[in-house]
Amino acid sequence: MSHTRSRVPVIVPIDTPSLGDRSYLAHDGRVAVVVDPQRDIDRVLDLATAAGVRITHVFETHVHNDYVTGGLALARQTGAAYHVNAADQVAFEHVPVTDGDVVEVSPTMRVRVIATPGHTLTHLAYALETSGEDGDTVGVFTGGSLLFGATGRPDLLGDEHTDALVHHQFASAHRLADELPEHTHVLPTHGFGSFCSAGSTGGSTESTIGVEKRQNPALTDDEATWVAATLAGLDAYPAYYVHMAPANSAGPDAPDLTAPQEADKATLAARLAAGEWVVDLRTRTAFAAGHVPRTLNIGLDGQFATYLGWLIPWGTPLTLLGEDAAQVADAQRELVRIGIDHLAGAATGSPADWTDGPLAAFPRAVFADLAQVRHHRRVGVLDVRRASEFAEQHIAGATNIPLHELLARLGEVPAGEVWVHCAGGYRASIAASILAAHGHRVVAVDDSFGEQAARSGLPLITAA
């Protein structure tokens, strides 16, 4: 382990791809700060141990809406100071900070607090600076303010605040661009697939203030144009978000990642009969080939926690089915990040290990198959992409029921054989499992809409 003090802080991103977020650990070789840690703090602790550094400060950019924070638990376990906006109404002990405060972390590293309202009313950014007369701004932890090519969305606090927040967000982006050197690394929490983003972040993995000044619409468009485009582009966000801010304001504990109780065949059958959620974690290919009837497929190979949290009635008992204990453990880790702390149970193996009855299955296909089938017989086409995606381009005659609305709108699903698709196959498989569980004859289209639908010859309707 290295204990060499670094003149320039080392910044280590900690990715959580299933939620589209990043946390950060920054250190000088001896002490470290952590920004916006996820609930499963063992990842952060392991990184600090590997670097040979002691975590002395934890910072929150805002009271998060898309995950349960690990900040309080991390601060308690390490003895670090826990920095939260003084204006946030929270129920736990913390170090209140406000605009302009400077936190001296070590002789070579300090953090400057910058008010950046917009994603929330009390949002903060943190500039990471080297100390001394020749001090420099190395990076800025922007949370949900300035993202890569975009900003955080301004509508999560409700319609009554959206108009004010979107103008705050524009001003905050400009403040960061005006006050910080162009070489400053931009280090956002959101923008890697998170529904907390407003606008496309384009798949970028790094950026600077200078790059953002040249490419971010919040910094290249005039305010009226940007505000109008941002508001017009806002779309649905996961239903579980409503539970996150209250949990974070109350002060969440560290999660319990103890393995859930094993569920046998009889227990699984009883839970399915009772209408409980039994979720198969395997890939959509494996699920379509054979699964326990009435189970749902939300694979771990996509945005598992986002979509499970979006769809499940909050508080519904949940049992997981995985190929092995590691798969179940990975899913459990994903779920505690959004506050689903208790599992009714789990089972591992294959579908034959989970039921004595016959297995269910449904076909998978591509868009070219759908085009051929429609020449010969009438089938229903269900597009489960979000309304904005559907409006941009869709198959003529398709019914649009966004995945997150499907359970409430099952009565609108086309009768007879239904071919269900999304943009890439992941959401379609979830929808297909829901439809199959409710007795529909379904074909899951596992294909790329953007690349393959047009080549297939299917008639497409494109927005003007």
Side-chain angles (χ1 to χ4, degrees):
M1 294 186 296
S2 171
H3 293 275
T4 303
R5 190 182 300 281
S6 172
R7 187 70 184 90
V8 178
V10 176
I11 302 170
V12 183
I14 307 165
D15 289 312
T16 305
S18 62
L19 295 179
D21 286 328
R22 271 185 180 175
S23 306
Y24 297 91
L25 180 139
H27 68 83
D28 66 357
R30 294 193 178 181
V31 298
V33 303
V34 176
V35 181
D36 290 347
Q38 289 275 340
R39 183 92 180 279
D40 49 327
I41 60 173
D42 56 334
R43 291 190 296 165
V44 182
L45 294 168
D46 288 347
L47 280 173
T49 298
V53 296
R54 179 170 57 90
I55 297 170
T56 56
H57 297 77
V58 178
F59 295 88
E60 297 284 4
T61 59
H62 60 294
V63 176
H64 302 283
N65 283 281
D66 65 330
Y67 66 87
V68 178
T69 182
L72 180 61
L74 181 63
R76 285 175 171 169
Q77 186 157 336
T78 61
Y82 188 29
H83 301 278
V84 177
N85 194 324
D88 284 325
Q89 302 297 310
V90 295
F92 49 84
E93 186 177 347
H94 62 284
V95 179
V97 290
T98 191
D99 185 48
D101 287 353
V102 175
V103 179
E104 298 289 348
V105 177
S106 75
T108 62
M109 186 168 61
R110 67 188 179 207
V111 172
R112 179 162 56 89
V113 182
I114 306 171
T116 48
H119 188 48
T120 67
L121 291 165
T122 56
H123 192 283
L124 300 174
Y126 299 102
L128 181 65
E129 302 174 342
T130 54
S131 301
E133 292 183 3
D134 59 344
D136 187 22
T137 305
V138 177
V140 57
F141 302 105
T142 56
S145 53
L146 188 67
L147 312 183
F148 297 159
T151 67
R153 61 191 300 159
D155 61 329
L156 297 181
L157 300 188
D159 292 344
E160 66 273 24
H161 296 295
T162 300
D163 185 66
L165 284 171
V166 72
H167 289 281
H168 282 314
Q169 190 72 292
F170 184 85
S172 292
H174 279 264
R175 180 182 180 188
L176 293 172
D178 292 342
E179 292 187 8
L180 299 175
E182 291 204 354
H183 62 258
T184 303
H185 287 279
V186 176
L187 306 164
T189 301
H190 305 312
F192 310 94
S194 169
F195 283 89
C196 278
S197 301
S200 173
T201 55
S204 298
T205 57
E206 61 181 40
S207 188
T208 63
I209 289 292
V211 169
E212 293 307 310
K213 287 168 79 168
R214 294 187 291 273
Q215 73 175 21
N216 195 313
L219 300 174
T220 60
D221 292 348
D222 65 84
E223 184 168 2
T225 300
W226 181 82
V227 165
T230 298
L231 295 179
L234 294 174
D235 206 340
Y237 55 83
Y240 77 84
Y241 277 22
V242 70
H243 304 286
M244 299 298 96
N248 287 326
S249 296
D253 295 329
D256 181 2
L257 292 173
T258 304
Q261 186 173 2
E262 185 174 347
D264 59 19
K265 294 176 181 178
T267 300
L268 293 173
R271 288 176 181 169
L272 287 165
E276 295 183 12
W277 275 46
V278 179
V279 172
D280 191 324
L281 304 170
R282 297 175 301 147
T283 66
R284 54 187 181 266
T285 304
F287 183 86
H291 57 268
V292 178
R294 291 180 294 172
T295 58
L296 304 182
N297 177 225
I298 307 180
L300 267 180
D301 55 341
Q303 286 186 282
F304 167 74
T306 293
Y307 284 105
L308 191 148
W310 202 334
L311 291 167
I312 193 169
W314 207 249
T316 297
L318 173 62
T319 301
L320 301 179
L321 305 177
E323 293 174 337
D324 50 37
Q327 194 173 58
V328 171
D330 287 345
Q332 185 177 11
R333 178 178 292 270
E334 297 273 11
L335 292 171
V336 298
R337 292 172 181 155
I338 64 168
I340 297 179
D341 287 356
H342 177 71
L343 295 174
T348 57
S350 67
D353 300 310
W354 304 330
T355 182
D356 289 324
L359 300 182
F362 52 73
R364 294 166 55 249
V366 295
F367 285 109
D369 299 325
L370 176 57
Q372 289 297 316
V373 165
R374 291 181 85 181
H375 287 306
H376 302 291
R377 66 179 190 272
R378 184 178 181 85
V379 297
V381 178
L382 179 64
D383 184 337
V384 296
R385 296 176 301 156
R386 295 187 301 280
S388 61
E389 296 173 275
F390 183 82
E392 187 174 322
Q393 186 178 62
H394 61 269
I395 299 170
T399 299
N400 178 225
I401 304 177
L403 175 60
H404 63 275
E405 299 178 8
L406 183 57
L407 285 166
R409 298 174 60 185
L410 286 170
E412 301 173 39
V413 175
E417 182 178 310
V418 181
W419 289 56
V420 58
H421 82 86
C422 60
Y426 184 77
R427 286 175 288 176
S429 179
I430 299 172
S433 72
I434 292 171
L435 295 177
H438 286 83
H440 289 270
R441 285 189 296 125
V442 65
V443 177
V445 179
D446 191 358
D447 203 359
S448 171
F449 181 82
E451 296 176 9
Q452 301 301 330
R455 295 181 188 176
S456 72
L458 287 164
L460 301 178
I461 296 176
T462 303

